[in-house]
Amino acid sequence: DQQVKQNSPSLSVQEGRISILNCDYTNSMFDYFLWYKKYPAEGPTFLISISSIKDKNEDGRFTVFLNKSAKHLSLHIVPSQPGDSAVYFCAARGAQTGANNLFFGTGTRLTVIP
Amino acid sequence: NAGVMQNPRHLVRRRGQEARLRCSPMKGHSHVYWYRQLPEEGLKFMVYLQKENIIDESGMPKERFSAEFPKEGPSILRIQQVVRGDSAAYFCASSQGLAGTDTQYFGPGTRLTVL
């Protein structure tokens, strides 16, 4: 039962352009969403997050948008740089009391072409 | 500013042996999580611990797997009598346990190979 889905396994973008990574979820009880970036043989690195009470959060080149009615979030990277090439994971946390575990998507491999 | 530390980074075991994976959380973090990633898949939650307490082990296989986070020392994920299907990357994360926006920070992982 995959509660967080990233339907695009890969994405290629030209350097300087916008990268848009998408994520859908099925559980309306999720209250906190995060994006992680992962290089091979390393652990996920936290990028940006958004609470369910917001619809947008921005940090430098990274912006996350949340559409609760559509159960959809997206990560925008502008401008994209070759160093952004990695696998990006979307994660969501349940709102149940005491529940703090994250549900992860299967990842999208972003390639930024110089 | 030490992040989450995990050791060993690579672990090779033969079927039937025991595997012990260690995780030291970030300074100031008292909450530890273990996740497993199989090839070409996302991370799957296993267990959530605070010092001396297991808070949520709903993702932990019922047999052969156990976890602890003692008062002193690192958190340990223990896999007894390993089988080939246990081969995976095991990631530990830690957080402050804040209400609301509590962010988990991950270690580099332990890659377990069962021969």
Side-chain angles (χ1 to χ4, degrees):
Chain A
D1 179 23
Q2 190 71 25
Q3 299 190 53
V4 177
K5 298 177 184 176
Q6 294 176 258
N7 292 319
S8 298
S10 62
L11 174 69
S12 290
V13 171
Q14 207 72 33
E15 181 179 2
R17 297 288 187 98
I18 183 171
S19 295
I20 300 176
L21 296 98
N22 294 302
C23 178
D24 297 294
Y25 61 95
T26 58
N27 190 338
S28 57
M29 296 300 290
F30 288 145
D31 68 344
Y32 187 48
F33 303 88
L34 308 92
W35 283 94
Y36 289 86
K37 171 181 174 181
K38 187 178 181 303
Y39 293 116
E42 293 185 13
T45 301
F46 170 70
L47 271 179
I48 193 169
S49 62
I50 188 166
S51 166
S52 59
I53 61 173
K54 295 188 174 182
D55 54 20
K56 178 183 174 181
N57 188 26
E58 190 172 351
D59 183 2
R61 296 186 298 116
F62 302 92
T63 303
V64 55
F65 295 92
L66 175 62
N67 182 334
K68 283 185 67 177
S69 60
K71 295 193 184 69
H72 177 84
L73 66 156
S74 60
L75 174 68
H76 292 210
I77 307 173
V78 181
S80 301
Q81 300 173 353
D84 296 330
S85 296
V87 178
Y88 288 77
F89 289 98
C90 166
R93 189 189 70 184
Q96 300 156 282
T97 302
N100 218 22
N101 55 296
L102 297 176
F103 294 84
F104 280 84
T106 50
T108 297
R109 182 178 302 277
L110 173 65
T111 302
V112 180
I113 304 162
Chain B
N1 183 21
V4 178
M5 314 259 299
Q6 288 188 250
N7 68 81
R9 294 292 307 272
H10 299 274
L11 183 61
V12 179
R13 286 287 178 265
R14 295 190 180 280
R15 281 180 297 169
Q17 291 184 319
E18 178 180 288
R20 282 191 180 227
L21 289 63
R22 294 175 190 77
C23 169
S24 296
M26 281 178 71
K27 188 175 181 180
H29 287 190
S30 58
H31 296 238
V32 165
Y33 314 80
W34 286 94
Y35 293 83
R36 174 165 66 175
Q37 184 184 25
L38 295 171
E40 305 304 320
E41 293 188 11
L43 282 71
K44 295 280 198 287
F45 167 76
M46 299 180 75
V47 63
Y48 164 30
L49 310 104
Q50 294 179 33
K51 284 284 187 183
E52 300 184 279
N53 283 308
I54 296 175
I55 306 301
D56 180 357
E57 55 182 347
S58 58
M60 195 86 111
K62 294 286 184 282
E63 297 177 349
R64 302 187 297 108
F65 285 72
S66 62
E68 62 176 4
F69 189 15
K71 188 176 179 181
E72 301 290 338
S75 174
I76 307 281
L77 178 68
R78 182 182 178 206
I79 312 172
Q80 295 179 288
Q81 299 173 341
V82 296
V83 300
R84 289 225 173 97
D86 296 333
S87 295
Y90 292 82
F91 293 98
C92 169
S94 72
S95 74
Q96 291 180 286
L98 302 171
T101 57
D102 187 43
T103 298
Q104 295 179 24
Y105 295 88
F106 283 80
T110 294
R111 273 141 194 90
L112 172 65
T113 301
V114 179
L115 301 177

